[in-house]
Amino acid sequence: MGAVMLQGTGSDVGKSVLVAGLCRLLTNRGMIVRPFKPQNMSNNAAVTPDGGEIGRAQALQALACRVPPHVDMNPVLLKPQSDKSAQIIVQGKVRDTGDASYFRTQKRPLLEAVLASYQRLSEEADMVIVEGAGSPAEINLRAGDIANMGFARAANVPVVLIGDIDRGGVIASLVGTQAVIDSADDAMIRGFLINKFRGDISLFDDGYDAIARRTGWKRLGTIPWLPMIHKLPAEDAVSLQQPEAGTQAVVEIAVPMLSRISNFDDFDPLRLEPQVHLHMVPPGKPIPASASLIIIPGTKATIADLKFLRAQGWDVDIAAHARRGGHLLGICGGYQMLGETISDPDAVEGRAESMTGLGLLPVTTTLTKAKTLMNSSGKTIADHQKFSGYEIHVGETTRENAEPMIQFDNGLFDGAVSTDGRISGCYVHGLFNAASQRQSWLAKLGARSNGAEQDAVVDQALDDLAVALEKYVNIDRLLAIADGAS
């Protein structure tokens, strides 16, 4: 069994996507490959077939390996629910809520869980491709680290360091990382990659050589800015970019970017629609009156983000949109916000309190300690269009004199729809992945769908990414590092 760990000089350098691409590349070569991320911090989560919870990036990487996602692929998942605390999920299940001090006291049991998961994956794979988190240069966090060098040294996994040239200073970021980490951590790094290069790659030859000369690390390649990557789900909300309206766009769909927005890849299929301008509305900006549909997204902390929504004045924009007869959809936490009240009697989100909702659907929600984690499929009742998605939430929502929005294949119902059919909400994520479901929504707004099944779009993008990495990465050298060559 071989293994290699991709670490980055910082966040958002492309680690998640490169792991996914390498997983597909080696899988296409006939190898048994598994992805692994010791610790992830993200509110973008996925549900495994056995009802566990992992980062969505690891679910994508599992898809790249053509295997179902498993909790061992991301044994520690941190879901921030305030500025100072996060929900701690260990091997798929909620263990606790903690702050920074929690990790100083829980390093050993968390590392034991990480190593146990890694060992199980190693036993079934020819290759494990490990993804780091943040940067090993964050030496202030090194003492309690299980995400980068703490794991690499404990599991004896060689490291390849990735630098993002698009953000500038890539030579300093790579050489500087070596300068600040200790010699034992430096010894784990065997090679480096340059990512997101725009233009003529040969222009960086001297810089590429300078990094190798100063660090002693092996050159593994310079990867250009690859167009297929925009078809893959992003891991971090920080990477959400405001797309320009295309020349074919005939409708605008607005999504307010809540402070703890979660599972925002719900909107990827809409972003790829030629006739749609998907407007991710940042804090401090109004929701445009030109929007045909406003979607209130999921959130890790519903009450906190409802307060945040009101602080931006978005509640006023949403109410005006509803008065004009515009369409509204709430997903998960957004569905809860559309109701009459949200209560948190057990202080699930921090403290016991109740809040008045937006009052646009006759539903009430009580947050509960138990978390719902399930994959689901069914149909939207109004148009009989099928969907396949998942639920990941705390809380029970009760309808009061409202029709449900969806019916699951098991006969149960979920969600609510206003009497005029323009305002609706449900707990299901992934609703827009099915082409027929998406076309039904767009038809209400006067647009046509591209007819693409999102699963097929993502799968093809992974194959295209694998082909590109075969061209730009020295895969033989990478495999030699993974197999223990110096």
Side-chain angles (χ1 to χ4, degrees):
M1 190 281 299
V4 67
M5 185 176 194
L6 302 192
Q7 295 184 18
T9 56
S11 297
D12 198 33
V13 302
K15 298 185 296 291
S16 296
V17 167
L18 292 182
V19 169
L22 291 171
C23 282
R24 177 55 62 92
L25 187 161
L26 297 178
T27 297
N28 285 350
R29 284 191 177 191
M31 297 178 69
I32 299 172
V33 188
R34 296 294 182 266
F36 184 73
K37 185 161 187 171
Q39 175 187 298
N40 197 349
M41 178 176 282
S42 177
N43 280 332
N44 224 22
V47 179
T48 62
D50 60 349
E53 187 176 1
I54 63 172
R56 289 204 67 75
Q58 283 61 66
L60 174 68
Q61 292 159 2
L63 174 66
C65 296
R66 297 194 175 93
V67 296
H70 192 277
V71 296
D72 280 339
M73 295 173 181
N74 176 206
V76 177
L77 174 62
L78 311 179
K79 302 187 77 173
Q81 58 185 32
S82 75
D83 292 339
K84 296 183 178 179
S85 68
Q87 188 178 72
I88 297 101
I89 295 161
V90 180
Q91 291 171 336
K93 300 301 180 185
V94 176
R95 174 174 290 186
D96 209 341
T97 299
D99 57 14
S101 63
Y102 178 93
F103 299 97
R104 286 193 289 270
T105 61
Q106 296 297 313
K107 175 189 174 184
R108 176 53 54 186
L110 289 176
L111 181 59
E112 288 173 356
V114 163
L115 293 175
S117 287
Y118 173 71
Q119 181 62 32
R120 285 191 289 269
L121 286 181
S122 300
E123 290 171 355
E124 66 184 46
D126 300 323
M127 171 70 72
V128 178
I129 304 181
V130 185
E131 179 189 343
S135 167
E138 295 164 345
I139 56 176
N140 55 307
L141 303 177
R142 179 62 181 88
D145 173 59
I146 62 171
N148 288 304
M149 290 301 181
F151 167 78
R153 285 172 58 178
N156 194 29
V157 175
V159 173
V160 169
L161 192 62
I162 302 167
D164 178 359
I165 197 169
D166 188 58
R167 63 179 61 189
V170 72
I171 297 173
S173 66
L174 285 160
V175 175
T177 296
Q178 185 183 57
V180 299
I181 62 177
D182 67 33
S183 59
D185 284 355
D186 177 31
M188 299 304 300
I189 303 177
R190 309 295 167 77
F192 70 96
L193 279 165
I194 304 297
N195 197 24
K196 303 183 187 179
F197 191 94
R198 298 178 189 262
D200 183 353
I201 289 178
S202 67
L203 295 176
F204 190 64
D205 285 350
D206 289 345
Y208 190 58
D209 292 342
I211 295 168
R213 186 172 61 253
R214 289 172 179 267
T215 62
W217 301 333
K218 294 184 183 299
R219 305 169 177 88
L220 292 174
T222 299
I223 304 167
W225 193 278
L226 299 173
M228 75 290 293
I229 288 175
H230 85 283
K231 297 181 180 180
L232 297 173
E235 180 180 20
D236 300 314
V238 70
S239 65
L240 292 178
Q241 297 179 359
Q242 180 57 51
E244 295 295 326
T247 56
Q248 301 178 53
V250 297
V251 297
E252 183 174 6
I253 297 175
V255 181
M257 293 178 63
L258 303 174
S259 65
R260 294 165 181 83
I261 187 172
S262 65
N263 300 79
F264 43 82
D265 58 333
D266 280 343
F267 312 114
D268 284 356
L270 297 173
R271 178 170 53 84
L272 297 176
E273 285 283 1
Q275 293 198 349
V276 171
H277 174 209
L278 181 67
H279 190 148
M280 303 298 294
V281 184
K285 299 292 184 180
I287 298 175
S290 54
S292 300
L293 169 65
I294 296 174
I295 304 176
I296 306 177
T299 169
K300 182 62 187 71
T302 302
I303 290 179
D305 260 348
L306 181 53
K307 294 176 182 177
F308 180 83
L309 181 149
R310 286 183 166 128
Q312 312 311 309
W314 289 336
D315 57 330
V316 177
D317 298 337
I318 290 168
H321 178 83
R323 286 196 301 272
R324 292 192 298 267
H327 291 267
L328 272 165
L329 171 65
I331 297 175
C332 198
Y335 167 44
Q336 295 172 339
M337 292 182 194
L338 286 174
E340 302 288 349
T341 60
I342 306 167
S343 300
D344 188 3
D346 297 325
V348 173
E349 291 188 351
R351 66 187 183 93
E353 60 182 318
S354 285
M355 275 199 73
T356 301
L358 298 175
L360 295 171
L361 283 176
V363 301
T364 58
T365 297
T366 300
L367 302 183
T368 57
K369 292 182 179 180
K371 179 179 282 192
T372 297
L373 292 164
M374 60 182 292
N375 293 300
S376 59
S377 58
K379 64 180 180 180
T380 40
I381 294 171
D383 53 14
H384 305 287
Q385 296 299 326
K386 292 186 176 297
F387 68 84
S388 180
Y390 63 97
E391 293 182 57
I392 181 167
H393 64 89
V394 295
E396 297 178 355
T397 299
T398 303
R399 287 187 303 276
E400 300 172 4
N401 301 316
E403 293 298 319
M405 177 183 162
I406 62 176
Q407 183 176 21
F408 297 115
D409 287 338
N410 63 9
L412 297 178
F413 297 94
D414 181 53
V417 180
S418 63
T419 54
D420 63 6
R422 290 181 175 270
I423 303 173
S424 55
C426 68
Y427 276 117
V428 174
H429 293 282
L431 198 62
F432 297 113
N433 286 352
S436 60
Q437 179 70 231
R438 198 166 64 251
Q439 174 55 55
S440 180
W441 281 92
L442 295 184
K444 299 174 190 176
L445 309 177
R448 294 189 307 275
S449 171
N450 60 15
E453 297 292 344
Q454 184 65 8
D455 289 350
V457 170
V458 170
D459 197 65
Q460 184 61 56
L462 287 169
D463 275 337
D464 293 342
L465 177 58
V467 170
L469 294 183
E470 190 86 60
K471 178 178 179 181
Y472 294 108
V473 178
N474 189 327
I475 300 299
D476 290 340
R477 185 171 288 176
L478 181 72
L479 289 173
I481 290 172
D483 287 336
S486 60

